[in-house]
Amino acid sequence: MMRIILPIVTVLLTVTGITAQQGSVARFILSSSTDSQLIAQRTHAPVVRKNSFTMPVINDAEIRVRKGDYFATLPDDVAGLRYSLRLKPRGLGETRALKSYHDAQAVFEEELTGTMFNEQVTERYLTVIDQLERTMIIQSYNELITLYEDRIKVMDQLKTSTDFDLNDLIKAEKELSKLTVNLMEEEQELEVMCSAVAAIIGDSSFTGFDGTEFISIADVKAHIDSTEFILNGNNLRLRYLKSRFELAEERYRLEMAQNRKLVSFFELSYDHPNMVKELTKKERNDKLGDTRNAFVFEVGIKIPGLSADQQDIARRQIDFLKDREEYDQLRRELQAKMKKDESDIRALIRQYEFLTARETEVDAEASLKKYQQMSGVDPLVLLSIKENLIKNRVEKSMVYYSILRNFVYILDVTGQLSHTPLRNFLSAQCEVIQP
């Protein structure tokens, strides 16, 4: 009978937290900033900005040296070389377009960094909730397994009684086997999850998070009631996609400017062999000697319509138009998701409040205590009351954790979740997370 009268304390704790757990939710969330991929990504934007200087007007400059004939010699055995300075100008508006492109590229890298960080934070919040919920389920399975073992023992003692029903015994044994298998699966999943968290926070002794001081449903409801559900620039994923299509658009504009280049190059050459020849003529009093013949000026003119790569330009335009369509589509999807998350969490809160009120009205715990004090009470009745008590608590806890998940979704879509300084939104105090 002692096993029938199990303490209710453990069950009561499943709504607000998990017993005997170690670990820090804040430390796990803070580890988002030390993710290796995120650290590597943070270096991209500074590199882009550092190397964004653009030489105005001039796209490329080179010095060219040419020797016409390795075996030819000039008068007085002076070797002849031709020196040239070639300048390639930019297209009309290309310098401005290139600067805009570099700026857009830096913004894109910054927004990608913010999006990656937000994903890491969101993933950690959901991991915390999943781990606490899984621990609660494991504790409930253990209690139900103990309960079904007691029920089977009581039924075994009643085999000679007229009230014995073999079908009830078979059903109880079947439920016990099912719970045992489910328990092993949940324990395996929890072990894998805790190992992953331990590796992230660098604590091999980690066994679980402490959820005893989690935010209450009343505080969640107050936060939801004070939240303005309007999609704006705070959503990091939306900002990232916007920066991506703006980068593609600037790339398209840059290529358009590059193809507005009428002059492909300017070249000024100094021909030393010619200079020597002209100087020799002058020394001989040859009136035809003119040193200006040693200087050559060339210019390359592009033929419009033939040199421009129209296919590449069209492809770039299609790329940024597709990115813009994806941005507009995501904006619509996020707006719909925000409304759904708001509706879901309000419905879950109402469900939680109903279960709380129903729990108070029925007060299965009081009924159990009352029956325990009575002599001659059927132990199977006591076990049934206790089973209902456990299952009701589990149902209420499941609703609680579903509310927390939807709360995280809303904080994510409104841009609050990863806003710096980071806060522990699962905590009742919502304290700032310090390194």
Side-chain angles (χ1 to χ4, degrees):
M1 185 65 66
M2 289 299 295
R3 297 191 66 183
I4 297 176
I5 311 174
L6 293 172
I8 310 300
V9 178
T10 305
V11 183
L12 293 174
L13 288 173
T14 58
V15 177
T16 57
I18 308 302
T19 60
Q21 296 193 46
Q22 303 297 324
S24 170
V25 174
R27 181 173 51 166
F28 184 51
I29 294 173
L30 190 62
S31 68
S32 303
S33 59
T34 59
D35 178 75
S36 58
Q37 291 183 341
L38 183 63
I39 292 174
Q41 174 60 32
R42 284 198 181 106
T43 63
H44 293 187
V47 170
V48 172
R49 293 195 181 278
K50 181 179 179 181
N51 296 280
S52 63
F53 173 75
T54 300
M55 178 68 70
V57 183
I58 302 301
N59 183 45
D60 191 20
E62 61 182 25
I63 295 177
R64 304 158 69 95
V65 180
R66 186 178 71 180
K67 181 174 175 58
D69 190 342
Y70 284 102
F71 304 101
T73 58
L74 295 173
D76 301 328
D77 294 326
V78 179
L81 293 175
R82 180 174 178 173
Y83 305 92
S84 302
L85 174 63
R86 173 171 288 196
L87 301 176
K88 295 180 180 179
R90 299 189 183 278
L92 185 61
E94 183 180 349
T95 301
R96 182 172 61 253
L98 187 58
K99 184 180 184 306
S100 298
Y101 173 73
H102 284 154
D103 291 342
Q105 189 176 26
V107 171
F108 168 78
E109 295 294 346
E110 290 168 352
E111 295 299 343
L112 178 57
T113 302
T115 301
M116 290 176 62
F117 178 61
N118 185 73
E119 289 175 352
Q120 292 290 334
V121 173
T122 304
E123 181 180 347
R124 279 161 171 73
Y125 269 104
L126 296 178
T127 298
V128 171
I129 296 171
D130 289 345
Q131 190 264 316
L132 290 174
E133 183 180 43
R134 198 174 296 276
T135 304
M136 177 274 298
I137 292 173
I138 288 174
Q139 291 178 345
S140 301
Y141 280 167
N142 280 318
E143 293 177 17
L144 288 172
I145 286 173
T146 301
L147 186 145
Y148 280 115
E149 288 175 346
D150 289 339
R151 178 174 289 172
I152 291 171
K153 289 180 179 180
V154 172
M155 289 181 178
D156 285 336
Q157 296 173 0
L158 296 176
K159 282 184 178 180
T160 57
S161 172
T162 57
D163 296 331
F164 175 74
D165 189 338
L166 181 60
N167 291 329
D168 290 340
L169 178 60
I170 294 173
K171 182 179 178 181
E173 291 177 340
K174 183 178 180 180
E175 289 291 335
L176 178 60
S177 298
K178 182 180 178 181
L179 282 171
T180 303
V181 172
N182 291 341
L183 174 63
M184 290 188 290
E185 292 177 352
E186 291 292 337
E187 287 178 337
Q188 173 63 22
E189 292 293 333
L190 181 62
E191 182 180 353
V192 172
M193 186 179 296
C194 288
S195 297
V197 174
I200 290 175
I201 64 177
D203 183 4
S204 59
S205 63
F206 174 82
T207 58
F209 295 107
D210 181 8
T212 56
E213 295 185 1
F214 264 25
I215 188 171
S216 67
I217 298 303
D219 290 336
V220 172
K221 184 177 181 181
H223 190 100
I224 297 302
D225 290 338
S226 63
T227 300
E228 187 177 8
F229 290 91
I230 298 177
L231 194 62
N232 51 35
N234 292 328
N235 185 276
L236 295 177
R237 190 180 173 200
L238 195 63
R239 284 167 48 178
Y240 160 69
L241 284 183
K242 182 179 180 182
S243 68
R244 192 174 75 176
F245 94 71
E246 288 178 345
L247 177 61
E249 184 176 14
E250 292 299 336
R251 177 64 178 172
Y252 164 71
R253 291 177 178 174
L254 174 60
E255 293 199 4
M256 287 289 292
Q258 289 173 338
N259 280 279
R260 289 196 294 266
K261 186 186 299 182
L262 299 179
V263 178
S264 58
F265 71 89
F266 295 99
E267 184 170 311
L268 178 64
S269 301
Y270 165 70
D271 195 327
H272 187 66
N274 280 340
M275 175 62 75
V276 173
K277 289 179 181 179
E278 298 301 328
L279 289 174
T280 301
K281 289 179 182 180
K282 281 192 173 185
E283 289 177 357
R284 296 173 180 174
N285 295 320
D286 192 336
K287 295 181 180 180
L288 296 178
D290 190 348
T291 55
R292 290 177 297 179
N293 293 332
F295 296 94
V296 180
F297 177 76
E298 295 181 64
V299 60
I301 307 296
K302 297 187 70 172
I303 301 176
L306 296 180
S307 56
D309 194 341
Q310 297 298 329
Q311 291 183 346
D312 280 349
I313 294 177
R315 176 176 52 81
R316 290 291 183 186
Q317 185 177 18
I318 291 173
D319 286 344
F320 96 75
L321 289 176
K322 286 183 177 179
D323 286 340
R324 181 160 193 168
E325 290 172 2
E326 185 177 350
Y327 166 78
D328 292 335
Q329 181 180 357
L330 177 65
R331 186 179 184 87
R332 291 190 295 269
E333 291 175 354
L334 286 176
Q335 188 66 50
K337 184 179 184 302
M338 178 185 291
K339 294 299 182 183
K340 183 179 183 303
D341 289 339
E342 179 189 7
S343 176
D344 288 347
I345 197 169
R346 292 189 185 280
L348 286 168
I349 289 174
R350 289 194 296 271
Q351 184 178 348
Y352 183 87
E353 291 173 341
F354 168 79
L355 290 173
T356 301
R358 179 64 177 167
E359 187 179 50
T360 303
E361 292 175 1
V362 175
D363 199 0
E365 181 184 350
S367 299
L368 179 60
K369 291 180 179 179
K370 180 178 67 176
Y371 277 104
Q372 288 172 353
Q373 295 172 357
M374 298 173 59
S375 59
V377 177
D378 187 350
L380 293 177
V381 174
L382 293 177
L383 288 170
S384 296
I385 295 175
K386 181 170 180 59
E387 180 182 9
N388 289 333
L389 176 62
I390 295 173
K391 290 182 176 180
N392 289 339
R393 298 290 185 182
V394 170
E395 183 181 4
K396 184 178 176 182
S397 296
M398 297 286 282
V399 173
Y400 173 74
Y401 291 119
S402 295
I403 291 173
L404 291 185
R405 285 192 189 89
N406 278 269
F407 185 46
V408 170
Y409 298 152
I410 288 175
L411 293 172
D412 174 29
V413 78
T414 55
Q416 301 177 63
L417 200 63
S418 59
H419 183 75
T420 53
L422 287 176
R423 289 184 175 275
N424 184 2
F425 286 102
L426 294 179
S427 169
Q429 291 75 30
C430 194
E431 69 274 2
V432 174
I433 301 176
Q434 300 290 347

